[in-house]
Amino acid sequence: SQQGEEDPQALSIQEGENATMNCSYKTSINNLQWYRQNSGRGLVHLILIRSNEREKHSGRLRVTLDTSKKSSSLLITASRAADTASYFCATDLFYNQGGKLIFGQGTELSVKP
Amino acid sequence: DTEVTQTPKHLVMGMTNKKSLKCEQHMGHRAMYWYKQKAKKPPELMFVYSYEKLSINESVPSRFSPECPNSSLLNLHLHALQPEDSALYLCAITPTTQTDTEAFFGQGTRLTVV
């Protein structure tokens, strides 16, 4: 079953612009994570936000979490061509099922120089 | 540099072949995962090992057989696969099966079944 849905599915911006990606989920969670994947390679963890947190920053990344709306957003500021990648949100389940992470459909970000 | 090493990077196999994918880690993490990822889709969980014991099997067909011979190594044995099994297979690790820490992923094995 789908836990995370992301929008937009694809996003194309110019270098220097900000990129915002959204993730919605269906069931209660403990944590929500964001990962990045360069084409055909492994996923790299970006940031984790706990269900009792509303906002978190890491460098050019800003993540928000709204548990009442079951949604999260990832903002990348001052984007660079090297930010071109797919971005996935991943949620656990409130009743932790043994480390299970469920990934959203992903947003494909293209940053043009 | 990846902390999780997967071999081979690419694999082409026939439907009657038997092959194995390998995942190695030296971070001392005790939870290890296999994910399958089709093109332009998110990773889908296949198996979870916790302290070398299989804890989750997401109803994966028996032609996929996982093995965790020790705390550093995770294998996925493949037999009689179908073309639709062609995908990127990703290994991941976490300290335990608690989901409050990041997962480290390997670079994946790109599998093509012909």
Side-chain angles (χ1 to χ4, degrees), chain B residues 12-43:
Chain B
V12 179
M13 62 183 290
M15 289 187 283
T16 58
N17 291 160
K18 283 186 182 181
K19 296 285 185 184
S20 296
L21 310 185
K22 179 178 167 182
C23 173
E24 195 164 5
Q25 60 107 355
H26 297 288
M27 296 182 72
H29 287 2
R30 304 308 295 271
M32 300 181 77
Y33 309 77
W34 281 115
Y35 285 86
K36 173 182 177 179
Q37 186 180 26
K38 301 283 273 184
K40 297 193 181 297
K41 293 291 186 182

PDB file of all heavy atoms in Angstrom, chain B residues 12-43:
ATOM      1  N   VAL B  12      23.844  -9.592 -15.857  1.00  0.00           N
ATOM      2  CA  VAL B  12      22.897 -10.060 -16.864  1.00  0.00           C
ATOM      3  C   VAL B  12      22.796 -11.562 -16.689  1.00  0.00           C
ATOM      4  O   VAL B  12      23.811 -12.254 -16.660  1.00  0.00           O
ATOM      5  CB  VAL B  12      23.361  -9.723 -18.294  1.00  0.00           C
ATOM      6  CG1 VAL B  12      22.353 -10.249 -19.310  1.00  0.00           C
ATOM      7  CG2 VAL B  12      23.539  -8.218 -18.456  1.00  0.00           C
ATOM      8  N   MET B  13      21.588 -12.070 -16.555  1.00  0.00           N
ATOM      9  CA  MET B  13      21.428 -13.502 -16.362  1.00  0.00           C
ATOM     10  C   MET B  13      20.248 -14.031 -17.137  1.00  0.00           C
ATOM     11  O   MET B  13      19.258 -13.314 -17.370  1.00  0.00           O
ATOM     12  CB  MET B  13      21.289 -13.851 -14.870  1.00  0.00           C
ATOM     13  CG  MET B  13      20.097 -13.253 -14.172  1.00  0.00           C
ATOM     14  SD  MET B  13      20.063 -13.630 -12.399  1.00  0.00           S
ATOM     15  CE  MET B  13      19.688 -15.387 -12.404  1.00  0.00           C
ATOM     16  N   GLY B  14      20.376 -15.279 -17.548  1.00  0.00           N
ATOM     17  CA  GLY B  14      19.276 -15.946 -18.224  1.00  0.00           C
ATOM     18  C   GLY B  14      18.280 -16.479 -17.222  1.00  0.00           C
ATOM     19  O   GLY B  14      18.550 -16.557 -16.014  1.00  0.00           O
ATOM     20  N   MET B  15      17.117 -16.825 -17.692  1.00  0.00           N
ATOM     21  CA  MET B  15      16.036 -17.249 -16.808  1.00  0.00           C
ATOM     22  C   MET B  15      16.319 -18.579 -16.134  1.00  0.00           C
ATOM     23  O   MET B  15      15.697 -18.900 -15.114  1.00  0.00           O
ATOM     24  CB  MET B  15      14.713 -17.297 -17.579  1.00  0.00           C
ATOM     25  CG  MET B  15      14.194 -15.918 -17.942  1.00  0.00           C
ATOM     26  SD  MET B  15      12.546 -15.947 -18.657  1.00  0.00           S
ATOM     27  CE  MET B  15      12.913 -16.502 -20.299  1.00  0.00           C
ATOM     28  N   THR B  16      17.279 -19.341 -16.668  1.00  0.00           N
ATOM     29  CA  THR B  16      17.583 -20.621 -16.028  1.00  0.00           C
ATOM     30  C   THR B  16      18.822 -20.548 -15.134  1.00  0.00           C
ATOM     31  O   THR B  16      19.211 -21.524 -14.514  1.00  0.00           O
ATOM     32  CB  THR B  16      17.791 -21.715 -17.084  1.00  0.00           C
ATOM     33  OG1 THR B  16      18.853 -21.293 -17.957  1.00  0.00           O
ATOM     34  CG2 THR B  16      16.521 -21.929 -17.895  1.00  0.00           C
ATOM     35  N   ASN B  17      19.439 -19.395 -15.096  1.00  0.00           N
ATOM     36  CA  ASN B  17      20.677 -19.258 -14.323  1.00  0.00           C
ATOM     37  C   ASN B  17      20.419 -19.173 -12.824  1.00  0.00           C
ATOM     38  O   ASN B  17      19.308 -18.849 -12.375  1.00  0.00           O
ATOM     39  CB  ASN B  17      21.429 -17.983 -14.730  1.00  0.00           C
ATOM     40  CG  ASN B  17      22.003 -18.054 -16.129  1.00  0.00           C
ATOM     41  OD1 ASN B  17      22.298 -17.035 -16.720  1.00  0.00           O
ATOM     42  ND2 ASN B  17      22.175 -19.247 -16.658  1.00  0.00           N
ATOM     43  N   LYS B  18      21.489 -19.438 -12.084  1.00  0.00           N
ATOM     44  CA  LYS B  18      21.513 -19.151 -10.645  1.00  0.00           C
ATOM     45  C   LYS B  18      22.651 -18.170 -10.403  1.00  0.00           C
ATOM     46  O   LYS B  18      23.786 -18.431 -10.824  1.00  0.00           O
ATOM     47  CB  LYS B  18      21.811 -20.425  -9.840  1.00  0.00           C
ATOM     48  CG  LYS B  18      20.661 -21.372  -9.685  1.00  0.00           C
ATOM     49  CD  LYS B  18      21.065 -22.510  -8.754  1.00  0.00           C
ATOM     50  CE  LYS B  18      19.943 -23.513  -8.597  1.00  0.00           C
ATOM     51  NZ  LYS B  18      20.308 -24.616  -7.675  1.00  0.00           N
ATOM     52  N   LYS B  19      22.346 -17.098  -9.730  1.00  0.00           N
ATOM     53  CA  LYS B  19      23.359 -16.095  -9.425  1.00  0.00           C
ATOM     54  C   LYS B  19      23.107 -15.573  -8.018  1.00  0.00           C
ATOM     55  O   LYS B  19      22.049 -15.794  -7.434  1.00  0.00           O
ATOM     56  CB  LYS B  19      23.288 -14.925 -10.414  1.00  0.00           C
ATOM     57  CG  LYS B  19      23.603 -15.292 -11.842  1.00  0.00           C
ATOM     58  CD  LYS B  19      25.088 -15.518 -12.053  1.00  0.00           C
ATOM     59  CE  LYS B  19      25.388 -15.767 -13.528  1.00  0.00           C
ATOM     60  NZ  LYS B  19      26.819 -16.092 -13.732  1.00  0.00           N
ATOM     61  N   SER B  20      24.087 -14.844  -7.505  1.00  0.00           N
ATOM     62  CA  SER B  20      23.937 -14.249  -6.176  1.00  0.00           C
ATOM     63  C   SER B  20      24.390 -12.804  -6.182  1.00  0.00           C
ATOM     64  O   SER B  20      25.372 -12.457  -6.848  1.00  0.00           O
ATOM     65  CB  SER B  20      24.763 -15.022  -5.149  1.00  0.00           C
ATOM     66  OG  SER B  20      24.285 -16.338  -5.015  1.00  0.00           O
ATOM     67  N   LEU B  21      23.689 -11.975  -5.441  1.00  0.00           N
ATOM     68  CA  LEU B  21      24.093 -10.607  -5.183  1.00  0.00           C
ATOM     69  C   LEU B  21      24.685 -10.549  -3.780  1.00  0.00           C
ATOM     70  O   LEU B  21      24.218 -11.233  -2.874  1.00  0.00           O
ATOM     71  CB  LEU B  21      22.902  -9.653  -5.279  1.00  0.00           C
ATOM     72  CG  LEU B  21      22.026  -9.738  -6.521  1.00  0.00           C
ATOM     73  CD1 LEU B  21      20.967  -8.637  -6.490  1.00  0.00           C
ATOM     74  CD2 LEU B  21      22.850  -9.696  -7.789  1.00  0.00           C
ATOM     75  N   LYS B  22      25.689  -9.699  -3.651  1.00  0.00           N
ATOM     76  CA  LYS B  22      26.383  -9.630  -2.371  1.00  0.00           C
ATOM     77  C   LYS B  22      26.373  -8.201  -1.836  1.00  0.00           C
ATOM     78  O   LYS B  22      26.487  -7.240  -2.594  1.00  0.00           O
ATOM     79  CB  LYS B  22      27.824 -10.104  -2.554  1.00  0.00           C
ATOM     80  CG  LYS B  22      28.698 -10.074  -1.322  1.00  0.00           C
ATOM     81  CD  LYS B  22      30.082 -10.614  -1.667  1.00  0.00           C
ATOM     82  CE  LYS B  22      31.087 -10.329  -0.582  1.00  0.00           C
ATOM     83  NZ  LYS B  22      32.438 -10.813  -0.933  1.00  0.00           N
ATOM     84  N   CYS B  23      26.238  -8.086  -0.520  1.00  0.00           N
ATOM     85  CA  CYS B  23      26.263  -6.793   0.155  1.00  0.00           C
ATOM     86  C   CYS B  23      27.166  -6.926   1.373  1.00  0.00           C
ATOM     87  O   CYS B  23      26.980  -7.851   2.180  1.00  0.00           O
ATOM     88  CB  CYS B  23      24.851  -6.399   0.572  1.00  0.00           C
ATOM     89  SG  CYS B  23      24.748  -4.919   1.589  1.00  0.00           S
ATOM     90  N   GLU B  24      28.114  -6.015   1.517  1.00  0.00           N
ATOM     91  CA  GLU B  24      29.055  -6.083   2.628  1.00  0.00           C
ATOM     92  C   GLU B  24      29.123  -4.742   3.344  1.00  0.00           C
ATOM     93  O   GLU B  24      29.133  -3.689   2.712  1.00  0.00           O
ATOM     94  CB  GLU B  24      30.438  -6.474   2.094  1.00  0.00           C
ATOM     95  CG  GLU B  24      31.409  -6.924   3.156  1.00  0.00           C
ATOM     96  CD  GLU B  24      32.614  -7.655   2.576  1.00  0.00           C
ATOM     97  OE1 GLU B  24      32.747  -7.723   1.339  1.00  0.00           O
ATOM     98  OE2 GLU B  24      33.423  -8.151   3.369  1.00  0.00           O
ATOM     99  N   GLN B  25      29.173  -4.793   4.668  1.00  0.00           N
ATOM    100  CA  GLN B  25      29.287  -3.568   5.453  1.00  0.00           C
ATOM    101  C   GLN B  25      30.221  -3.805   6.626  1.00  0.00           C
ATOM    102  O   GLN B  25      30.315  -4.922   7.130  1.00  0.00           O
ATOM    103  CB  GLN B  25      27.903  -3.102   5.941  1.00  0.00           C
ATOM    104  CG  GLN B  25      27.184  -4.111   6.830  1.00  0.00           C
ATOM    105  CD  GLN B  25      27.122  -3.744   8.291  1.00  0.00           C
ATOM    106  OE1 GLN B  25      27.703  -2.752   8.744  1.00  0.00           O
ATOM    107  NE2 GLN B  25      26.399  -4.548   9.067  1.00  0.00           N
ATOM    108  N   HIS B  26      30.882  -2.737   7.047  1.00  0.00           N
ATOM    109  CA  HIS B  26      31.793  -2.835   8.189  1.00  0.00           C
ATOM    110  C   HIS B  26      31.500  -1.739   9.196  1.00  0.00           C
ATOM    111  O   HIS B  26      32.397  -1.257   9.880  1.00  0.00           O
ATOM    112  CB  HIS B  26      33.242  -2.787   7.709  1.00  0.00           C
ATOM    113  CG  HIS B  26      33.607  -3.942   6.832  1.00  0.00           C
ATOM    114  ND1 HIS B  26      33.777  -5.215   7.314  1.00  0.00           N
ATOM    115  CD2 HIS B  26      33.785  -4.019   5.485  1.00  0.00           C
ATOM    116  CE1 HIS B  26      34.069  -6.031   6.310  1.00  0.00           C
ATOM    117  NE2 HIS B  26      34.070  -5.336   5.191  1.00  0.00           N
ATOM    118  N   MET B  27      30.219  -1.334   9.239  1.00  0.00           N
ATOM    119  CA  MET B  27      29.831  -0.302  10.204  1.00  0.00           C
ATOM    120  C   MET B  27      29.322  -0.905  11.499  1.00  0.00           C
ATOM    121  O   MET B  27      29.010  -0.182  12.437  1.00  0.00           O
ATOM    122  CB  MET B  27      28.741   0.595   9.601  1.00  0.00           C
ATOM    123  CG  MET B  27      29.208   1.381   8.399  1.00  0.00           C
ATOM    124  SD  MET B  27      27.927   2.462   7.777  1.00  0.00           S
ATOM    125  CE  MET B  27      27.897   3.720   9.067  1.00  0.00           C
ATOM    126  N   GLY B  28      29.177  -2.234  11.523  1.00  0.00           N
ATOM    127  CA  GLY B  28      28.671  -2.891  12.729  1.00  0.00           C
ATOM    128  C   GLY B  28      27.175  -2.748  12.921  1.00  0.00           C
ATOM    129  O   GLY B  28      26.665  -3.018  14.015  1.00  0.00           O
ATOM    130  N   HIS B  29      26.482  -2.313  11.863  1.00  0.00           N
ATOM    131  CA  HIS B  29      25.032  -2.187  11.960  1.00  0.00           C
ATOM    132  C   HIS B  29      24.389  -3.572  11.907  1.00  0.00           C
ATOM    133  O   HIS B  29      24.813  -4.438  11.152  1.00  0.00           O
ATOM    134  CB  HIS B  29      24.498  -1.319  10.814  1.00  0.00           C
ATOM    135  CG  HIS B  29      24.809   0.131  10.997  1.00  0.00           C
ATOM    136  ND1 HIS B  29      25.528   0.635  12.047  1.00  0.00           N
ATOM    137  CD2 HIS B  29      24.460   1.212  10.236  1.00  0.00           C
ATOM    138  CE1 HIS B  29      25.630   1.948  11.954  1.00  0.00           C
ATOM    139  NE2 HIS B  29      24.989   2.323  10.852  1.00  0.00           N
ATOM    140  N   ARG B  30      23.317  -3.757  12.699  1.00  0.00           N
ATOM    141  CA  ARG B  30      22.765  -5.096  12.856  1.00  0.00           C
ATOM    142  C   ARG B  30      21.447  -5.290  12.128  1.00  0.00           C
ATOM    143  O   ARG B  30      20.813  -6.344  12.255  1.00  0.00           O
ATOM    144  CB  ARG B  30      22.610  -5.413  14.339  1.00  0.00           C
ATOM    145  CG  ARG B  30      23.904  -5.274  15.122  1.00  0.00           C
ATOM    146  CD  ARG B  30      25.074  -6.042  14.504  1.00  0.00           C
ATOM    147  NE  ARG B  30      24.877  -7.469  14.523  1.00  0.00           N
ATOM    148  CZ  ARG B  30      25.242  -8.243  15.541  1.00  0.00           C
ATOM    149  NH1 ARG B  30      25.799  -7.721  16.604  1.00  0.00           N
ATOM    150  NH2 ARG B  30      25.052  -9.555  15.478  1.00  0.00           N
ATOM    151  N   ALA B  31      20.989  -4.305  11.402  1.00  0.00           N
ATOM    152  CA  ALA B  31      19.797  -4.468  10.565  1.00  0.00           C
ATOM    153  C   ALA B  31      20.217  -4.276   9.116  1.00  0.00           C
ATOM    154  O   ALA B  31      20.877  -3.284   8.780  1.00  0.00           O
ATOM    155  CB  ALA B  31      18.709  -3.465  10.937  1.00  0.00           C
ATOM    156  N   MET B  32      19.834  -5.224   8.276  1.00  0.00           N
ATOM    157  CA  MET B  32      20.228  -5.181   6.872  1.00  0.00           C
ATOM    158  C   MET B  32      18.995  -5.458   6.017  1.00  0.00           C
ATOM    159  O   MET B  32      18.144  -6.276   6.381  1.00  0.00           O
ATOM    160  CB  MET B  32      21.329  -6.199   6.587  1.00  0.00           C
ATOM    161  CG  MET B  32      22.582  -5.942   7.421  1.00  0.00           C
ATOM    162  SD  MET B  32      23.933  -7.100   7.090  1.00  0.00           S
ATOM    163  CE  MET B  32      24.568  -6.442   5.541  1.00  0.00           C
ATOM    164  N   TYR B  33      18.927  -4.771   4.878  1.00  0.00           N
ATOM    165  CA  TYR B  33      17.706  -4.761   4.071  1.00  0.00           C
ATOM    166  C   TYR B  33      18.035  -5.007   2.600  1.00  0.00           C
ATOM    167  O   TYR B  33      19.077  -4.546   2.107  1.00  0.00           O
ATOM    168  CB  TYR B  33      17.022  -3.388   4.150  1.00  0.00           C
ATOM    169  CG  TYR B  33      16.804  -2.846   5.541  1.00  0.00           C
ATOM    170  CD1 TYR B  33      17.853  -2.293   6.274  1.00  0.00           C
ATOM    171  CD2 TYR B  33      15.544  -2.861   6.123  1.00  0.00           C
ATOM    172  CE1 TYR B  33      17.667  -1.789   7.552  1.00  0.00           C
ATOM    173  CE2 TYR B  33      15.336  -2.343   7.403  1.00  0.00           C
ATOM    174  CZ  TYR B  33      16.400  -1.822   8.102  1.00  0.00           C
ATOM    175  OH  TYR B  33      16.196  -1.305   9.363  1.00  0.00           O
ATOM    176  N   TRP B  34      17.112  -5.655   1.925  1.00  0.00           N
ATOM    177  CA  TRP B  34      17.121  -5.699   0.468  1.00  0.00           C
ATOM    178  C   TRP B  34      15.897  -4.946  -0.050  1.00  0.00           C
ATOM    179  O   TRP B  34      14.773  -5.183   0.407  1.00  0.00           O
ATOM    180  CB  TRP B  34      17.069  -7.131  -0.069  1.00  0.00           C
ATOM    181  CG  TRP B  34      18.362  -7.869  -0.053  1.00  0.00           C
ATOM    182  CD1 TRP B  34      18.684  -8.973   0.680  1.00  0.00           C
ATOM    183  CD2 TRP B  34      19.536  -7.571  -0.834  1.00  0.00           C
ATOM    184  NE1 TRP B  34      19.960  -9.382   0.420  1.00  0.00           N
ATOM    185  CE2 TRP B  34      20.514  -8.536  -0.511  1.00  0.00           C
ATOM    186  CE3 TRP B  34      19.864  -6.592  -1.783  1.00  0.00           C
ATOM    187  CZ2 TRP B  34      21.791  -8.551  -1.077  1.00  0.00           C
ATOM    188  CZ3 TRP B  34      21.131  -6.599  -2.345  1.00  0.00           C
ATOM    189  CH2 TRP B  34      22.074  -7.569  -1.999  1.00  0.00           C
ATOM    190  N   TYR B  35      16.159  -4.051  -1.018  1.00  0.00           N
ATOM    191  CA  TYR B  35      15.103  -3.328  -1.712  1.00  0.00           C
ATOM    192  C   TYR B  35      15.215  -3.620  -3.207  1.00  0.00           C
ATOM    193  O   TYR B  35      16.308  -3.829  -3.734  1.00  0.00           O
ATOM    194  CB  TYR B  35      15.244  -1.814  -1.529  1.00  0.00           C
ATOM    195  CG  TYR B  35      14.840  -1.278  -0.187  1.00  0.00           C
ATOM    196  CD1 TYR B  35      15.737  -1.249   0.874  1.00  0.00           C
ATOM    197  CD2 TYR B  35      13.559  -0.765   0.024  1.00  0.00           C
ATOM    198  CE1 TYR B  35      15.371  -0.734   2.109  1.00  0.00           C
ATOM    199  CE2 TYR B  35      13.183  -0.244   1.254  1.00  0.00           C
ATOM    200  CZ  TYR B  35      14.099  -0.234   2.290  1.00  0.00           C
ATOM    201  OH  TYR B  35      13.731   0.285   3.514  1.00  0.00           O
ATOM    202  N   LYS B  36      14.080  -3.554  -3.866  1.00  0.00           N
ATOM    203  CA  LYS B  36      14.018  -3.664  -5.327  1.00  0.00           C
ATOM    204  C   LYS B  36      13.478  -2.342  -5.861  1.00  0.00           C
ATOM    205  O   LYS B  36      12.510  -1.795  -5.316  1.00  0.00           O
ATOM    206  CB  LYS B  36      13.079  -4.799  -5.721  1.00  0.00           C
ATOM    207  CG  LYS B  36      12.805  -4.913  -7.211  1.00  0.00           C
ATOM    208  CD  LYS B  36      11.816  -6.040  -7.483  1.00  0.00           C
ATOM    209  CE  LYS B  36      11.459  -6.134  -8.952  1.00  0.00           C
ATOM    210  NZ  LYS B  36      10.514  -7.245  -9.211  1.00  0.00           N
ATOM    211  N   GLN B  37      14.115  -1.832  -6.909  1.00  0.00           N
ATOM    212  CA  GLN B  37      13.661  -0.557  -7.478  1.00  0.00           C
ATOM    213  C   GLN B  37      13.569  -0.662  -8.992  1.00  0.00           C
ATOM    214  O   GLN B  37      14.580  -0.882  -9.666  1.00  0.00           O
ATOM    215  CB  GLN B  37      14.598   0.585  -7.083  1.00  0.00           C
ATOM    216  CG  GLN B  37      14.093   1.942  -7.524  1.00  0.00           C
ATOM    217  CD  GLN B  37      15.011   3.080  -7.127  1.00  0.00           C
ATOM    218  OE1 GLN B  37      16.208   2.885  -6.950  1.00  0.00           O
ATOM    219  NE2 GLN B  37      14.452   4.278  -6.991  1.00  0.00           N
ATOM    220  N   LYS B  38      12.368  -0.473  -9.512  1.00  0.00           N
ATOM    221  CA  LYS B  38      12.171  -0.404 -10.949  1.00  0.00           C
ATOM    222  C   LYS B  38      12.396   1.043 -11.395  1.00  0.00           C
ATOM    223  O   LYS B  38      12.333   1.978 -10.597  1.00  0.00           O
ATOM    224  CB  LYS B  38      10.755  -0.862 -11.306  1.00  0.00           C
ATOM    225  CG  LYS B  38      10.425  -2.275 -10.860  1.00  0.00           C
ATOM    226  CD  LYS B  38      11.022  -3.326 -11.739  1.00  0.00           C
ATOM    227  CE  LYS B  38      10.137  -3.652 -12.904  1.00  0.00           C
ATOM    228  NZ  LYS B  38      10.691  -4.773 -13.716  1.00  0.00           N
ATOM    229  N   ALA B  39      12.623   1.190 -12.700  1.00  0.00           N
ATOM    230  CA  ALA B  39      12.928   2.520 -13.248  1.00  0.00           C
ATOM    231  C   ALA B  39      11.808   3.518 -12.925  1.00  0.00           C
ATOM    232  O   ALA B  39      10.624   3.215 -13.101  1.00  0.00           O
ATOM    233  CB  ALA B  39      13.137   2.424 -14.747  1.00  0.00           C
ATOM    234  N   LYS B  40      12.203   4.680 -12.457  1.00  0.00           N
ATOM    235  CA  LYS B  40      11.292   5.787 -12.149  1.00  0.00           C
ATOM    236  C   LYS B  40      10.251   5.428 -11.082  1.00  0.00           C
ATOM    237  O   LYS B  40       9.159   6.003 -11.052  1.00  0.00           O
ATOM    238  CB  LYS B  40      10.610   6.297 -13.412  1.00  0.00           C
ATOM    239  CG  LYS B  40      11.587   6.887 -14.416  1.00  0.00           C
ATOM    240  CD  LYS B  40      10.886   7.669 -15.493  1.00  0.00           C
ATOM    241  CE  LYS B  40      11.865   8.247 -16.505  1.00  0.00           C
ATOM    242  NZ  LYS B  40      12.806   9.214 -15.929  1.00  0.00           N
ATOM    243  N   LYS B  41      10.592   4.473 -10.236  1.00  0.00           N
ATOM    244  CA  LYS B  41       9.715   4.083  -9.138  1.00  0.00           C
ATOM    245  C   LYS B  41      10.495   4.151  -7.837  1.00  0.00           C
ATOM    246  O   LYS B  41      11.723   4.180  -7.850  1.00  0.00           O
ATOM    247  CB  LYS B  41       9.217   2.644  -9.353  1.00  0.00           C
ATOM    248  CG  LYS B  41       8.286   2.493 -10.549  1.00  0.00           C
ATOM    249  CD  LYS B  41       6.967   3.178 -10.297  1.00  0.00           C
ATOM    250  CE  LYS B  41       5.989   2.902 -11.427  1.00  0.00           C
ATOM    251  NZ  LYS B  41       4.709   3.611 -11.228  1.00  0.00           N
ATOM    252  N   PRO B  42       9.805   4.179  -6.707  1.00  0.00           N
ATOM    253  CA  PRO B  42      10.530   4.188  -5.433  1.00  0.00           C
ATOM    254  C   PRO B  42      11.046   2.799  -5.080  1.00  0.00           C
ATOM    255  O   PRO B  42      10.550   1.796  -5.605  1.00  0.00           O
ATOM    256  CB  PRO B  42       9.459   4.623  -4.426  1.00  0.00           C
ATOM    257  CG  PRO B  42       8.171   4.181  -5.044  1.00  0.00           C
ATOM    258  CD  PRO B  42       8.348   4.310  -6.534  1.00  0.00           C
ATOM    259  N   PRO B  43      12.031   2.713  -4.190  1.00  0.00           N
ATOM    260  CA  PRO B  43      12.476   1.401  -3.710  1.00  0.00           C
ATOM    261  C   PRO B  43      11.338   0.695  -2.965  1.00  0.00           C
ATOM    262  O   PRO B  43      10.582   1.330  -2.225  1.00  0.00           O
ATOM    263  CB  PRO B  43      13.619   1.728  -2.753  1.00  0.00           C
ATOM    264  CG  PRO B  43      14.037   3.115  -3.108  1.00  0.00           C
ATOM    265  CD  PRO B  43      12.810   3.805  -3.606  1.00  0.00           C
TER     266      PRO B  43
END
